[in-house]
Coordinates of all heavy atoms in Angstrom, one line a residue:
A610 N -69.1 0.0 75.7 CA -70.3 -0.9 75.7 C -71.2 -0.5 74.6 O -71.5 0.7 74.4 CB -71.0 -0.7 77.1
W611 N -71.7 -1.5 73.9 CA -72.5 -1.3 72.6 C -73.6 -2.2 72.6 O -73.5 -3.4 73.0 CB -71.5 -1.6 71.4 CG -72.2 -1.6 70.1 CD1 -73.1 -0.6 69.6 CD2 -72.1 -2.5 69.0 NE1 -73.5 -1.0 68.3 CE2 -72.9 -2.1 68.0 CE3 -71.4 -3.7 68.9 CZ2 -73.0 -2.9 66.8 CZ3 -71.4 -4.5 67.7 CH2 -72.3 -4.0 66.7
C612 N -74.8 -1.7 72.2 CA -76.0 -2.5 72.2 C -76.1 -3.5 71.1 O -77.0 -4.4 71.0 CB -77.2 -1.6 72.2 SG -77.4 -0.7 70.7
G613 N -75.3 -3.3 70.1 CA -75.3 -4.2 68.9 C -76.1 -3.7 67.7 O -76.1 -4.3 66.6
S614 N -76.7 -2.5 67.9 CA -77.5 -2.0 66.8 C -76.6 -1.3 65.8 O -75.5 -0.7 66.1 CB -78.6 -1.0 67.3 OG -78.0 0.3 67.4
A616 N -77.3 1.4 64.0 CA -77.4 2.8 64.1 C -76.3 3.3 65.2 O -75.6 4.3 64.9 CB -78.8 3.2 64.5
C617 N -76.3 2.6 66.3 CA -75.3 3.0 67.4 C -73.9 2.7 66.9 O -73.0 3.5 67.2 CB -75.6 2.3 68.7 SG -77.1 2.8 69.5
G618 N -73.7 1.7 66.1 CA -72.4 1.4 65.6 C -71.9 2.5 64.7 O -70.8 2.9 64.8
C647 N -75.7 0.9 76.7 CA -75.0 1.2 75.5 C -74.5 2.7 75.6 O -75.2 3.5 76.0 CB -75.9 1.1 74.3 SG -75.2 1.7 72.7
I648 N -73.2 2.9 75.1 CA -72.6 4.2 75.2 C -73.4 5.3 74.4 O -73.3 6.4 74.7 CB -71.1 4.1 74.8 CG1 -70.4 5.4 75.2 CG2 -71.0 3.9 73.3 CD1 -68.9 5.3 75.1
V649 N -74.1 4.8 73.4 CA -74.8 5.8 72.5 C -76.3 5.9 72.9 O -76.7 7.0 73.3 CB -74.7 5.3 71.0 CG1 -75.5 6.4 70.1 CG2 -73.3 5.1 70.6
C650 N -77.0 4.9 72.9 CA -78.5 5.0 73.1 C -78.9 4.8 74.6 O -80.1 5.0 74.9 CB -79.2 4.0 72.2 SG -78.9 2.3 72.6
G651 N -78.0 4.3 75.4 CA -78.4 4.0 76.8 C -79.4 2.8 77.0 O -79.9 2.6 78.1
Q652 N -79.5 2.0 75.9 CA -80.4 0.8 76.1 C -79.6 -0.2 76.8 O -78.4 -0.3 76.7 CB -80.8 0.3 74.7 CG -81.6 1.3 73.9 CD -83.0 1.5 74.4 OE1 -83.7 0.6 74.7 NE2 -83.4 2.8 74.6
V656 N -76.3 -5.5 75.6 CA -75.1 -4.7 75.7 C -73.9 -5.7 75.9 O -73.9 -6.6 76.6 CB -75.1 -3.7 76.9 CG1 -73.8 -3.2 77.2 CG2 -76.1 -2.6 76.5
Ligands
ZN264 ZN1 -77.1 1.5 71.4

Side-chain angles (χ1 to χ4, degrees):
W611 173 48
C612 66
S614 86
C617 291
C647 171
I648 194 169
V649 181
C650 66
Q652 299 291 311
V656 166

